[in-house]
Amino acid sequence: MNQLKERYESFKIQNLELNMQRGQPADENFDLSNPMLNILDKSNTVTPSGIEIRNYPGGAAGLKEARELFCTVIGINPEETIIGNNASLRMLVNTLMWALIKGLNNSPKPWSSYNKPKAIVTVPGYDRHFTLLDALGFEMLTVNMTENGPDMDKIEEIVKTDGSVKCLIFVPTYSNPTGDTISDDNVRRLAKMKTAASDFTIFADDAYAVHLLSEEKIKPLNLLTACREAGNVNRVYLFGSTSKITFSGAGIGFMGSSESNIEYITKLMGIQSIGPNKIEQYRHVLFINNYKGGIEGLMKDHANILRPKFEAVQEILEKNLGGTGLAEWTKPKGGYFISLNTEYPVASKVVELAKEVGLALTPAGATFPHKLDPNNSNIRISPTRPPKKEVELAMEILSVCIKLASEEYQNR
Ligand code: PLP
């Protein structure tokens, strides 16, 4: 047995149970927000703006104080923001459903009136974007995510002539899974490009807008500002949430757009519900506004917990795979993921080998629509949830699996 195989077998006999599959915060991250659990009592059920949070009134767009706070995460004004319940994903799906049924603010007709409306997605990308677009009946057109954001040449070409291309969904900051952030130039190009569909819409899922890993902040030009300057103010919707700021299971989702779009969509949301959960919103407002340094302070404390795990991934991959040419991987400055590409089409084999020794990785293909990675090479690494020691061991295993799978491929 060669050394590599021996190493692999040595993992096998340890009966490991390691999970690097999903991008979840660690309990230590959640612990930062524990004061939120009992920050409310019967003495503070009325907000400074006079809303009794236990009752119905308050509006479909959320508490004023919450709009003032969370608009800053996506870099817009309170009047341009709607605050919802947990899960920004639900707000995204909801907006898409209205677009299909009725059309958006400026739509000449509902999107469902197209035989198969088309959506542009970036790859590698977020699996849930693909699943939701597929479930809603969109055909997905893929463009590559580059280190400067979506491949703009390709997008401009696609949207120019085909009026059934209705939207783009992508992650502008510290993208899932590559960690890449859109450049200011590309923001401007998205804002001003000519589109065959007069209601072409950009859904910018800014889930990691403030999720830096070090002091070095990256803030791309704001898409709504750029669209306004380009004369296309209604072109973009931004989404964000506190799922990875406070609690993933009980966070606050929010969305932003032009005031006119917000008015349009708030009316529709007001039909669906009298209003969102104001107790959860106010709890967040009190907690975050009282946190040392506010959201920024909280995100720095998160970064201090997460950074060592990201550093461990880089160190171990570099030690084992650096210079071998067998894989390359991203070095994000924020977000929740690292994206690795194998040189040979062996991603599914690597994930299978890892599973056999007790390491669960995100399934190969998950970062592409219909789970089909045309090169069978992309693997998403999610180092946030497990303790650092487990991240280290997982990366040792991953390195061995990549070497084994590549060797097997070369000798086939
Ligand atoms: N958007 C992206 C890009 C994500 O990576 C995630 C979670 O992994 C979400 C949205 C989910 O956000 P929420 O919990 O607000 O629905």
Side-chain angles (χ1 to χ4, degrees), residues 22-23 86-90 126 128-129 171 175-176 205-208 240-244 248 252-253 336-337 380:
R22 288 233 72 99
N86 78 318
S88 57
L89 215 50
R90 182 190 288 268
Y126 178 37
R128 288 185 180 272
H129 286 166
V171 185
S175 166
N176 176 354
D205 183 356
D206 223 353
Y208 303 103
S241 79
T242 68
S243 292
K244 284 153 190 172
S248 305
I252 296 290
Y336 255 58
F337 304 99
R380 184 179 82 165

Side-chain angles (χ1 to χ4, degrees), residues 259-290:
E259 281 189 51
S260 157
N261 282 352
I262 289 300
E263 194 187 332
Y264 176 83
I265 206 84
T266 307
K267 259 192 209 133
L268 295 172
M269 285 171 56
I271 297 167
Q272 295 174 279
S273 122
I274 300 174
N277 181 339
K278 294 188 289 293
I279 290 191
E280 208 52 81
Q281 292 193 359
Y282 196 39
R283 203 204 289 272
H284 270 77
V285 168
L286 290 177
F287 168 66
I288 293 174
N289 286 343
N290 285 312

Side-chain angles (χ1 to χ4, degrees), residues 232-249:
N232 293 316
V233 70
N234 292 332
R235 179 174 284 184
V236 68
Y237 288 81
L238 305 162
F239 296 84
S241 79
T242 68
S243 292
K244 284 153 190 172
I245 297 177
T246 56
F247 298 141
S248 305

Side-chain angles (χ1 to χ4, degrees), residues 32-51:
L32 295 175
S33 302
N34 281 346
M36 200 168 67
L37 291 172
N38 46 17
I39 206 164
L40 277 178
D41 60 36
K42 61 181 187 227
S43 73
N44 51 11
T45 65
V46 179
T47 66
S49 56
I51 300 294

